[in-house]
Amino acid sequence: MESDTLHLTKKRCLVIFHEMTEEYANSNNLHEQATLADEIADYVDKNYNNINLNVNFLGDVFHKTSRHISKVFKLKKGEFLRDYITHVRLKNAEILLSSNKKLEDIASECGFTNVNTFIRAFKQFYGETPGSMRTKG
């Protein structure tokens, strides 16, 4: 009888231990995901002008699959990673519109592969072309 009670107590303790271990691992994983998302955002903020910067490139940089970093970024930041890259580039391009630089140069400096891609993304995000925004001043 006493041995059965001891056995049940041991089983309960093991169950509790496993639950606590799993909970700790999950909380640690959530912290790692938040840290990864912050590091990715910081990298994009500093390297948006790299024409090769995309989700696959970031996967290589962070030694993770592009699918994994996209999922973590969306989960923690609430925005798709590819959209975040584009938005960072566009916000920096908007600042450069106040200069006398040509649109081709602004597009290149902000990491767009060509001016047409830049204009299309700009219009989609702001609802007007960079030229018309520049004219409004």
Side-chain angles (χ1 to χ4, degrees), residues 6-82:
L6 184 60
H7 182 68
L8 281 174
T9 303
K10 184 178 177 183
K11 274 184 129 176
R12 286 185 188 137
C13 286
L14 283 173
V15 167
I16 291 169
F17 175 75
H18 286 296
E19 287 174 354
M20 289 174 63
T21 304
E22 188 175 311
E23 187 176 312
Y24 175 77
N26 287 339
S27 70
N28 204 18
N29 190 31
L30 291 174
H31 176 70
E32 287 174 12
Q33 289 177 354
T35 301
L36 177 61
D38 289 342
E39 288 173 357
I40 292 168
D42 187 53
Y43 188 91
V44 171
D45 292 344
K46 291 176 181 171
N47 296 281
Y48 66 89
N49 58 343
N50 180 345
I51 203 162
N52 296 311
L53 182 67
N54 60 35
V55 177
N56 289 328
F57 181 87
L58 289 168
D60 292 341
V61 168
F62 289 94
H63 308 291
K64 308 276 185 200
T65 65
S66 57
R67 185 171 183 246
H68 176 74
I69 64 169
S70 293
K71 183 178 175 182
V72 168
F73 195 87
K74 172 70 172 152
L75 181 70
K76 295 298 170 188
K77 297 291 186 181
E79 181 175 16
F80 290 109
L81 180 52
R82 70 177 183 278

Side-chain angles (χ1 to χ4, degrees), residues 55-116:
V55 177
N56 289 328
F57 181 87
L58 289 168
D60 292 341
V61 168
F62 289 94
H63 308 291
K64 308 276 185 200
T65 65
S66 57
R67 185 171 183 246
H68 176 74
I69 64 169
S70 293
K71 183 178 175 182
V72 168
F73 195 87
K74 172 70 172 152
L75 181 70
K76 295 298 170 188
K77 297 291 186 181
E79 181 175 16
F80 290 109
L81 180 52
R82 70 177 183 278
D83 293 342
Y84 182 77
I85 295 167
T86 301
H87 295 162
V88 169
R89 287 176 167 161
L90 289 171
K91 288 182 185 286
N92 283 282
E94 182 184 10
I95 294 167
L96 292 175
L97 284 176
S98 62
S99 71
N100 292 328
K101 294 181 179 190
K102 294 190 277 181
L103 291 181
E104 291 84 0
D105 295 335
I106 292 173
S108 177
E109 285 180 37
C110 292
F112 288 95
T113 53
N114 63 61
V115 71
N116 292 330

